[in-house]
């Protein structure tokens, strides 16, 4: 129940990758035939990624994943365009791959505006407009939040950015395979994605860079990826990424229908528990995201007891799961500090079943009640004698 953290690679993906781990092992930069086979495989995968988001093939650059893509988008635009300005706009609920990069850029002399969000985790386009300055060079707003699943009004934000001639980057790592994307229609200039979020391999992602975008490379040392991303290409993973995104994009409607049914069944069942609150937008959210807060309990204990029952979930971002800090996303949404630690994220995937959902709804109420009985903060009316 933690598919937002990662997903298993599909059988079709693994089958497509296998030849490039063994007999087709040539370096794509080599001019002899084995190298050309690898090179053709990369270009085939590049077309699949481009087709999935409405881009051109030469606008797709392969990376090691979402974190590298986010770093490249922000640092690359910032340093390539600092003669035009030093101001960047983002939101307070971005993934740390964006937020920590912004903090680093502040140390390099750039100024960052962190937009607030409403109680559902949505950015106001009007507040975004008001934050734009003459020296604003980049807007970075994620398409869908990794913790609460809220989908941002990206198309509207893209129009604002385009009207003001400001580059617009979106972190779409959680959205691929769940939200239809057309980078041209949405006026997106840069888009980050990561293969392991949609049943592709780990350690492989991509950055879409609109043709004509002025951007500096993040990595130096080779002429790969049209001299913009140095390093020998991870051919098997790129092939797998291409197959995974082809399948995910082609099955969005069918997959979302199944996931939406599971999501609503989970939400309905969990909200029957007293002092339980849904986090994120009730409808404008990913079809596979359920994020709730239980009062009077602590999330880490909840996860350990669920784990003992063979149910695997999260309190938020897997990249920050070892931290004891309260969720910056829930805090930004106004969730009170005293209950923010009692959050639970459930994110069913394509391989989950209705029986899995029923199992969660059978086990979770007992665990919640057990933890409430143990907590000195629980009022008497919410205890079981």
């Amino acid at each position: 129940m933690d598919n937002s953290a990662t997903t298993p690679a599909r059988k079709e993906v693994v089958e497509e990758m296998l030849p490039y781990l063994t007999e087709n092992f040539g370096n794509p930069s080599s001019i002899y035939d084995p190298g050309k086979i690898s090179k053709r495989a990369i270009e085939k995968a590049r077309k699949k990624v481009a087709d999935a988001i409405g881009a051109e093939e030469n606008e797709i650059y392969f990376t090691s994943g979402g974190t590298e893509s986010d770093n490249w988008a922000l640092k690359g635009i910032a340093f390539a365009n600092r003669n035009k300005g030093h101001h960047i706009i983002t939101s307070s609920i971005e993934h740390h791959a964006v937020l920590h990069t912004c903090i680093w850029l502040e140390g390099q002399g750039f100024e960052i505006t962190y937009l607030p969000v409403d109680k559902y985790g949505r950015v106001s386009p009007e507040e975004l407009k008001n934050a734009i300055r003459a020296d604003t060079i980049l807007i970075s707003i994620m398409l869908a939040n990794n913790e609460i699943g809220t989908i941002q009004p990206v198309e509207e934000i893209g129009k604002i950015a385009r009207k003001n001639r400001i580059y617009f980057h979106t972190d779409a790592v959680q959205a691929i395979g769940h939200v239809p994307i057309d980078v041209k229609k949405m006026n997106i200039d840069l888009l980050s994605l990561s293969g392991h979020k949609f049943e592709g391999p780990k350690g492989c992602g991509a950055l879409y860079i609109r043709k004509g975008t002025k951007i500096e490379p993040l990595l130096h040392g080779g002429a790969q990826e049209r001299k913009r991303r140095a390093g020998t290409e991870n051919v098997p993973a790129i092939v797998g990424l291409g197959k995974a995104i082809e399948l995910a994009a082609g099955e969005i409607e069918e997959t979302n229908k199944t996931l939406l049914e599971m999501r609503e069944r989970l939400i309905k069942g969990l909200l029957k528990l007293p002092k339980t609150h849904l986090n994120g937008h009730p409808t404008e959210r990913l079809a596979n995201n359920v994020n709730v807060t239980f009062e009077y309990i602590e999330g880490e204990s909840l996860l350990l007891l669920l784990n003992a029952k063979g149910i695997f979930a999260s309190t938020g971002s897997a990249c920050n799961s070892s931290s004891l800090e309260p969720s910056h996303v829930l805090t930004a949404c106004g969730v009170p500090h005293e209950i923010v630690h009692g959050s639970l994220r459930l994110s069913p995937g394509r391989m989950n079943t209705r029986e899995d959902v029923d199992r969660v709804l059978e086990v979770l109420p007992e665990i919640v009640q057990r933890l409430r009985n143990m907590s000195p903060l629980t009022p008497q009316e919410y205890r079981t004698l």
Side-chain angles (χ1 to χ4, degrees):
M1 282 287 166
D2 199 19
N3 284 268
S4 290
T6 195
T7 57
R10 287 179 69 157
K11 180 183 176 183
E12 303 95 317
V13 170
V14 175
E15 287 175 350
E16 195 117 341
M17 292 172 65
L18 282 175
Y20 298 93
L21 288 164
T22 52
E23 63 264 29
N24 296 333
F25 62 88
N27 189 317
S29 297
S30 303
I31 63 171
Y32 44 67
D33 287 349
K36 289 179 180 178
I37 291 171
S38 293
K39 185 68 174 177
R40 283 196 295 270
I42 289 174
E43 296 314 311
K44 184 179 176 183
R46 197 185 310 278
K47 185 178 188 311
K48 289 177 180 179
V49 175
D51 289 346
I53 62 172
E56 302 296 326
E57 291 173 54
N58 62 1
E59 295 175 317
I60 304 299
Y61 297 84
F62 292 112
T63 68
S64 63
T67 296
E68 182 190 332
S69 295
D70 285 344
N71 271 260
W72 184 8
L74 270 68
K75 294 174 182 176
I77 292 294
F79 288 107
N81 296 275
R82 54 186 164 180
N83 61 316
K84 295 181 181 178
H86 289 74
H87 182 232
I88 296 169
I89 299 172
T90 189
S91 85
S92 55
I93 64 164
E94 297 297 307
H95 190 279
H96 282 134
V98 168
L99 291 180
H100 289 177
T101 301
C102 284
I103 291 169
W104 184 85
L105 284 170
E106 285 180 304
Q108 308 303 309
F110 292 89
E111 294 180 38
I112 315 291
T113 294
Y114 300 92
L115 294 174
V117 293
D118 63 19
K119 65 179 181 179
Y120 299 124
R122 276 172 66 94
V123 168
S124 162
E126 203 57 41
E127 288 193 30
L128 173 64
K129 281 182 192 175
N130 294 336
I132 291 173
R133 307 185 332 202
D135 62 341
T136 304
I137 54 174
L138 175 66
I139 295 168
S140 181
I141 304 291
M142 68 197 329
L143 206 160
N145 186 264
N146 52 300
E147 289 192 34
I148 58 175
T150 296
I151 298 171
Q152 299 293 350
V154 165
E155 191 168 343
E156 193 173 351
I157 292 169
K159 287 179 181 176
I160 294 168
R162 183 54 48 86
K163 185 178 179 181
N164 288 274
R165 297 184 177 182
I166 299 167
Y167 286 125
F168 175 41
H169 164 251
T170 190
D171 176 344
V173 166
Q174 290 290 337
I176 299 290
H178 299 293
V179 181
I181 298 172
D182 185 330
V183 291
K184 301 293 191 288
K185 183 182 176 185
M186 294 174 163
N187 289 303
I188 296 168
D189 298 301
L190 304 107
L191 178 145
S192 304
L193 59 89
S194 185
H196 76 105
K197 301 293 187 178
F198 47 87
E199 297 179 298
K202 292 177 179 64
C204 186
L207 180 65
Y208 155 75
I209 305 174
R210 185 187 288 268
K211 200 181 300 180
T213 297
K214 190 178 178 184
I215 186 169
E216 289 285 338
L218 182 66
L219 301 179
H220 301 85
Q224 293 88 353
E225 292 301 283
R226 301 183 298 288
K227 298 183 179 180
R228 280 187 158 175
R229 200 274 185 181
T232 301
E233 298 92 339
N234 185 349
V235 182
I238 288 171
V239 168
L241 172 67
K243 185 63 176 179
I245 202 167
E246 179 184 46
L247 293 169
E251 298 171 2
I252 283 181
E253 193 173 331
E254 178 187 346
T255 302
N256 276 352
K257 183 180 178 182
T258 304
L259 292 176
L260 192 58
E261 185 181 324
M262 286 193 269
R263 185 192 82 184
E264 292 307 297
R265 187 170 177 79
L266 281 167
I267 290 174
K268 184 179 179 182
L270 294 177
L271 292 185
K272 288 179 182 178
L273 300 175
K275 294 296 181 178
T276 302
H277 313 279
L278 179 67
N279 300 310
H281 200 282
T283 56
E284 295 298 316
R285 69 187 301 137
L286 294 172
N288 75 327
N289 179 283
V290 176
N291 189 304
V292 293
T293 302
F294 302 104
E295 293 191 32
Y296 317 124
I297 69 172
E298 197 277 321
E300 188 174 2
S301 301
L302 182 63
L303 295 188
L304 291 173
L305 290 173
L306 282 170
N307 180 71
K309 295 286 188 178
I311 297 170
F312 316 118
S314 169
T315 55
S317 171
C319 302
N320 205 41
S321 60
S322 60
S323 171
L324 295 177
E325 290 296 312
S327 162
H328 71 285
V329 175
L330 296 182
T331 301
C333 293
V335 177
H337 183 78
E338 62 271 17
I339 68 170
V340 76
H341 280 290
S343 68
L344 174 71
R345 182 185 71 180
L346 299 168
S347 49
R350 194 181 57 85
M351 296 179 72
N352 285 114
T353 64
R354 185 186 177 97
E355 288 71 31
D356 293 336
V357 170
D358 290 343
R359 173 68 175 156
V360 171
L361 294 176
E362 173 193 350
V363 169
L364 194 52
E366 297 172 5
I367 292 176
V368 169
Q369 192 58 59
R370 177 181 169 185
L371 290 173
R372 283 178 172 170
N373 289 345
M374 294 167 61
S375 173
L377 301 175
T378 307
Q380 194 59 45
E381 62 263 36
Y382 299 114
R383 293 176 180 271
T384 300
L385 297 176

